Amino acid sequence: MRRLLVIVLTLVLAVAGLVVLGFAGAFQFLAPDIPRAAELRDVRVQMPLAVYTRDGKLIAQIGEQRRMPVEWDEIPPVVIDAFLAAEDARFFEHPGVDWQGLVRAAASNVAAGGVREGGGTITMQLARNTVLTSERTLRRKLKEVFLALRLEREFTKQEILTLYLNQIFLGQRAYGIGAASQVYFDKPPKDLTLPEAALLAGLPRSPSRDNPVASVERARDRRAYVLRRMVETGTIDTAARDAAAAAPISGRMHGPVIELEAPFVAEMARLEMIERFGETALTGGYQVKTTVDSRLQQAATAAARRAMLAYERRHGYRGPLERLDPARTADPAAVTEAFRRHPDRGSLVVAIVRAVRERDALVELRDGVAVELRWEDLRWARPALPEGALGPVPQQAGDVLAAGDMVCLEPFEEGQYRLAQVPAVGGALVALEPRDGAIAALAGGFDFGLSKYNRAIQARRQPGSSFKPFVYSAALERGFTPASLINDAPIVLPGGSGTEEWRPQNISKRFYGPTPMREALVRSRNLVSIRLLRGTGIGPTIRHIGAFGFDSQALPPNLTLALGTGQVTPLDMARGFAVFANGGYRITPYLIEQVTGPGGEVVYQASPPTACDDCPGREPAPRAITAANAFVMTEMMSDVIERGTAQLAKTLGRRDLAGKTGTTNDRRDTWFVGYNGDLAAAVWIGFDQERSLGEEEEGGRTALPMWVDFMKEALRDRPEHRLAEPAGVVRMWVSRSSGYPTSAGSGGAVFESFLENHLPDTRSVETTDAVGGEGVEPSTGDDSLF
């Protein structure tokens, strides 16, 4: 017997020695790949990027992870007891590796023929979750064991548990108990109750499936398991367990509430933050204050959507989103599935038609609310036919709708809806503060979820006649005046190599003879603009326009420039018109005003150049044009609103507005860009894939209503603001028919404004193109570029 005991002891020692040697050899082999324990101190706390308006409204939280780190003294005992009972009851006893658990797991894995259980401690989970991969291999498990042992040597148990509770994934993008307690219970960890702590402690096994937002039943089962373990470990009694198990569970997710819908703005902020701060932008807990005003942003979004929906109503109904078989409309599951296939878009809500009567229809919204669609709310829906044609005017509701139709509705009054459709047309609005270029509001399309294409900054389109003010501004500097007469008559110009002659026309297809320059801008006369550009010179004009901030490479070096054939974005146009609004300074648009770090420290503060010559503490913006030029151009564009193509803007009842409509060839793009001293805004409507908007669609009809709708709210309660007349402007009476100076009592006399260095005089000699009244012969040196 003694001999047998010696043999057994020898074998045990030999096996133990082999195990020790094996572990030593494994450690030496794996040591180069095992991270240093100190690297855990370098694991950065990850918190999402928060984007706010200037007035503090939350626009977006962007990032894959939510983290709100807590200190040891902020973690209540009930949380510690719950997690230890669920994950590692012997945490304060083992050296980082629970050998009993490993043996149990090994036996289970051998029986299963593969890796099924990990036998991991909290220390091992911390190692795995922070600096190791989660692959289920023996190599990774050994590295996990070695790192856990190293952690226990270099950290206290308290530090390890604090790190673990701050790093563990608990579902719904929440990492750590700080974030999880806010996401699920809307409270800090120190206020968690026993049932809440037990619920969180049950999540690490399968956080994405077991959290209460994903499944209340699974969350309840896991909570019951943790409570049972807490009884077994002696931290609670059965009475506390039963009371906690009976507590209700909410499946609602808490957290910061998005207060303003501005996804295009949020995406712009995200991209700029990545450019400024790199990979940490979305995880560093930065808070971004943008220049956007929440009231103006709401107005911009609403105005853009209303304008696009109004266009859709003029061009016919394309039919329902889907038509369910009437037999299936009584099946709640089928109806729920149909709603799931058709999310709400923009301002539109989806409904199912339940019944159709002669002059109205009954529909049901996603939440089961019944709505009556009146005849006046659906009578617009003539069938949309190919090539922009319209079908017959509907005579009864059945001509438009049928039971089972899944349709879009537009809310437009309290409790009232009209039939609508997701717009096929695109649109954009951007508003700047002329003083320094701050983006006050921006709408890049109808619905960000439908298309992330931001038309306000990405759609490079022809601006049409809305570009003419820049050409006219250049002409003022070359000697033309608002009183200069330019002949509005047919013109034939040679085309390029092998192309037909160019015969431009006015949109009215009529000609009006000698026309004052002011009147030509007010009436948007194309032929006058071409002659004006030819008289100014293409080269000087492009250089002049470049000073507004436009890319000269995007401007055609030929006479079509006069008709706005360059490629610009709505933001470009708003920036250009801001020069007229602020008295001649070129500002640079910007969106991010301030960035603060997770501790509230300011890490970036915008300091944009400002429209001023002497502004203490601010960098002056460069001059693009003289103050006198900006003033005279503003006066001329005020007449566009007062008696020209933008008279709809008179409904705002203000005298400080100026702007210009624009419509491109074949009516592919419609624009209005306008301003006062406080705000410059550009609006555009067109198709992303360029095609005609329709025969009667023009800037004044299609785009201008969006601008008016926005400005009505944007300028509400603001006093009128128009820059005072600067030095360098001279006013005198001139003859409307000749452009020459005259007396106030003369027939046809008008009181006109001039740049002081370009006054009309009696030496004017009209050219063959009737460009006269200002004593300047047309420049032809650049016309060869056409």
Side-chain angles (χ1 to χ4, degrees):
M1 176 62 72
R2 185 172 181 176
R3 178 184 175 88
L4 179 61
L5 186 60
V6 171
I7 292 173
V8 171
L9 184 59
T10 301
L11 288 173
V12 170
L13 291 174
V15 170
L18 289 173
V19 169
V20 171
L21 288 173
F23 263 79
F27 180 78
Q28 291 299 321
F29 178 71
L30 296 174
D33 296 331
I34 300 175
R36 294 179 300 107
E39 289 183 20
L40 275 176
R41 299 189 188 275
D42 298 328
V43 176
R44 298 181 64 86
V45 173
Q46 296 187 355
M47 298 173 67
L49 171 69
V51 182
Y52 295 88
T53 62
R54 177 177 279 175
D55 50 328
K57 299 292 181 65
L58 181 63
I59 296 174
Q61 274 204 324
I62 305 169
E64 293 300 317
Q65 301 183 6
R66 295 186 180 97
R67 292 186 188 270
M68 300 178 66
V70 295
E71 301 295 332
W72 172 259
D73 57 7
E74 298 177 277
I75 305 172
V78 67
V79 171
I80 295 172
D81 292 341
F83 273 89
L84 293 183
E87 295 296 319
D88 191 356
R90 300 182 63 249
F91 173 73
F92 285 103
E93 302 169 19
H94 62 66
V97 178
D98 187 351
W99 300 109
Q100 296 178 21
L102 282 177
V103 171
R104 183 177 63 251
S108 174
N109 291 336
V110 169
V115 180
R116 295 285 299 276
E117 292 187 23
T121 64
I122 279 179
T123 312
M124 294 169 68
Q125 289 185 52
L126 178 62
R128 179 173 66 247
N129 293 337
T130 54
V131 293
L132 294 175
T133 66
S134 58
E135 57 180 337
R136 298 176 69 86
T137 65
L138 180 60
R139 178 188 179 91
R140 197 274 301 156
K141 176 59 70 176
L142 288 172
K143 290 166 65 176
E144 184 179 310
V145 169
F146 295 142
L147 180 56
L149 294 172
R150 184 179 286 177
L151 287 172
E152 292 275 348
R153 290 196 304 269
E154 300 189 22
F155 293 90
T156 67
K157 286 287 188 179
Q158 179 178 307
E159 289 175 324
I160 290 172
L161 189 54
T162 303
L163 281 169
Y164 171 79
L165 291 175
N166 276 324
Q167 300 286 356
I168 188 70
F169 177 50
L170 296 172
Q172 300 299 327
R173 297 194 298 168
Y175 286 74
I177 60 168
S181 60
Q182 291 288 348
V183 167
Y184 298 122
F185 308 117
D186 197 24
K187 61 174 64 173
K190 65 183 180 64
D191 295 333
L192 290 174
T193 63
L194 171 59
E196 292 166 345
L199 187 149
L200 293 183
L203 298 181
R205 185 191 69 166
S206 183
S208 297
R209 299 176 61 201
D210 293 344
N211 74 77
V213 176
S215 172
V216 170
E217 288 304 314
R218 292 179 67 88
R220 182 177 289 110
D221 291 344
R222 287 298 295 166
R223 183 180 69 178
Y225 164 76
V226 175
L227 291 170
R228 185 170 65 252
R229 287 287 298 140
M230 293 180 77
V231 171
E232 293 171 358
T233 58
T235 53
I236 63 171
D237 57 25
T238 56
R241 177 200 64 192
D242 294 342
I249 294 178
S250 170
R252 186 166 70 92
M253 190 167 72
H254 300 273
V257 177
I258 302 302
E259 300 173 276
L260 179 70
E261 182 187 9
F264 291 100
V265 172
E267 177 63 5
M268 289 171 64
R270 183 187 75 86
L271 293 174
E272 184 174 341
M273 283 296 292
I274 291 174
E275 183 178 339
R276 289 186 180 278
F277 296 96
E279 296 180 358
T280 66
L282 307 185
T283 59
Y286 294 110
Q287 297 190 51
V288 175
K289 181 170 77 171
T290 67
T291 56
V292 167
D293 179 285
S294 63
R295 183 175 65 87
L296 271 61
Q297 180 60 41
Q298 285 181 310
T301 300
R305 286 173 173 169
R306 283 194 288 262
M308 286 181 266
L309 290 170
Y311 172 87
E312 290 290 323
R313 288 195 296 274
R314 294 195 295 271
H315 291 270
Y317 183 52
R318 297 188 299 275
L321 299 168
E322 178 182 356
R323 178 164 290 172
L324 294 183
D325 186 326
R328 301 185 63 207
T329 59
D331 180 0
V335 173
T336 298
E337 179 62 20
F339 274 113
R340 187 193 64 78
R341 289 193 295 271
H342 303 291
D344 296 342
R345 294 296 187 188
S347 56
L348 305 183
V349 297
V350 175
I352 182 171
V353 178
R354 289 299 191 183
V356 178
R357 299 185 292 230
E358 182 178 1
R359 286 288 176 128
D360 62 16
L362 296 178
V363 301
E364 182 181 306
L365 303 181
R366 191 182 300 273
D367 58 4
V369 172
V371 171
E372 178 183 356
L373 272 185
R374 303 170 302 179
W375 176 241
E376 56 264 37
D377 301 328
L378 55 86
R379 65 187 301 174
W380 65 268
R382 297 174 65 182
L385 302 178
E387 305 299 326
L390 294 176
V393 175
Q395 301 300 312
Q396 56 187 2
D399 295 338
V400 179
L401 301 173
D405 282 359
M406 301 295 298
V407 298
C408 290
L409 304 181
E410 176 193 4
F412 66 98
E413 289 178 3
E414 187 67 31
Q416 293 294 318
Y417 297 83
R418 67 162 63 97
L419 182 66
Q421 59 192 354
V422 175
V425 75
L429 182 155
V430 59
L432 303 179
E433 296 179 8
R435 180 172 176 267
D436 63 0
I439 296 176
L442 182 145
F446 187 80
D447 180 79
F448 186 77
L450 193 65
S451 171
K452 295 176 174 55
Y453 181 50
N454 189 340
R455 295 154 189 84
I457 63 172
Q458 293 176 301
R460 303 194 70 83
R461 306 294 287 253
Q462 293 187 5
S465 295
S466 64
F467 200 74
K468 289 176 180 175
F470 305 112
V471 175
Y472 280 58
S473 173
L476 289 179
E477 294 300 327
R478 299 285 285 187
F480 288 90
T481 77
S484 296
L485 294 182
I486 300 96
N487 198 13
D488 182 22
I491 187 172
V492 179
L493 298 165
S497 177
T499 61
E500 296 181 358
E501 294 175 330
W502 185 40
R503 298 173 180 267
Q505 295 185 343
N506 293 317
I507 197 168
S508 66
K509 306 295 176 65
R510 297 175 58 191
F511 308 102
Y512 300 89
T515 304
M517 179 174 154
R518 175 187 291 268
E519 191 69 16
L521 184 64
V522 168
R523 306 297 177 188
S524 201
R525 300 279 164 77
N526 289 340
L527 298 171
V528 169
S529 299
I530 292 170
R531 285 188 165 91
L532 195 63
L533 173 58
R534 188 168 64 178
T536 304
I538 294 173
T541 299
I542 288 179
R543 288 190 292 273
H544 181 89
I545 294 173
F548 285 77
F550 291 100
D551 179 6
S552 298
Q553 298 302 311
L555 305 178
N558 54 56
L559 292 179
T560 67
L561 177 66
L563 307 186
T565 59
Q567 299 290 317
V568 298
T569 67
L571 182 61
D572 293 335
M573 292 297 287
R575 181 192 191 188
F577 273 68
V579 173
F580 297 126
N582 66 29
Y585 299 90
R586 182 177 72 247
I587 47 85
T588 300
Y590 71 104
L591 176 67
I592 294 180
E593 185 169 286
Q594 185 183 81
V595 180
T596 56
E601 69 281 10
V602 176
V603 297
Y604 170 77
Q605 178 67 54
S607 55
T610 305
C612 59
D613 289 325
D614 183 16
C615 34
R618 302 295 293 269
E619 177 188 352
R623 271 214 169 269
I625 56 176
T626 66
N629 186 304
F631 180 85
V632 172
M633 287 303 308
T634 294
E635 273 206 333
M636 293 169 68
M637 284 188 278
S638 294
D639 272 1
V640 174
I641 291 174
E642 183 62 31
R643 56 189 181 83
T645 57
Q647 293 186 52
L648 178 67
K650 290 169 64 177
T651 60
L652 294 174
R654 301 179 67 99
R655 296 174 298 172
D656 61 340
L657 303 176
K660 184 69 184 75
T661 55
T663 308
T664 62
N665 190 42
D666 198 29
R667 293 173 168 83
R668 292 169 178 251
D669 303 273
T670 57
W671 296 77
F672 184 76
V673 192
Y675 59 93
N676 78 340
D678 295 321
L679 210 58
V683 300
W684 166 86
I685 287 182
F687 288 103
D688 292 341
Q689 303 298 321
E690 293 188 36
R691 59 186 173 94
S692 176
L693 288 163
E695 187 60 32
E696 297 183 3
E697 302 297 338
E698 299 174 359
R701 183 191 193 197
T702 310
L704 179 58
M706 185 197 307
W707 189 89
V708 171
D709 198 3
F710 168 70
M711 283 296 205
K712 181 179 180 180
E713 176 61 26
L715 299 180
R716 178 171 55 85
D717 299 330
R718 287 197 187 187
E720 294 195 354
H721 181 193
R722 190 167 179 172
L723 297 184
E725 181 177 316
V729 175
V730 174
R731 295 178 182 270
M732 64 174 62
W733 289 96
V734 295
S735 167
R736 179 181 178 84
S737 60
S738 69
Y740 298 162
T742 188
S743 59
S746 301
V750 294
F751 199 52
E752 188 57 89
S753 301
F754 302 89
L755 304 187
E756 65 178 359
N757 55 336
H758 296 302
L759 301 177
D761 59 42
T762 55
R763 293 174 299 166
S764 299
V765 179
E766 294 192 5
T767 71
T768 56
D769 271 341
V771 183
E774 67 291 295
V776 175
E777 293 291 328
S779 171
T780 58
D782 292 296
D783 286 356
S784 59
L785 295 172
F786 179 75

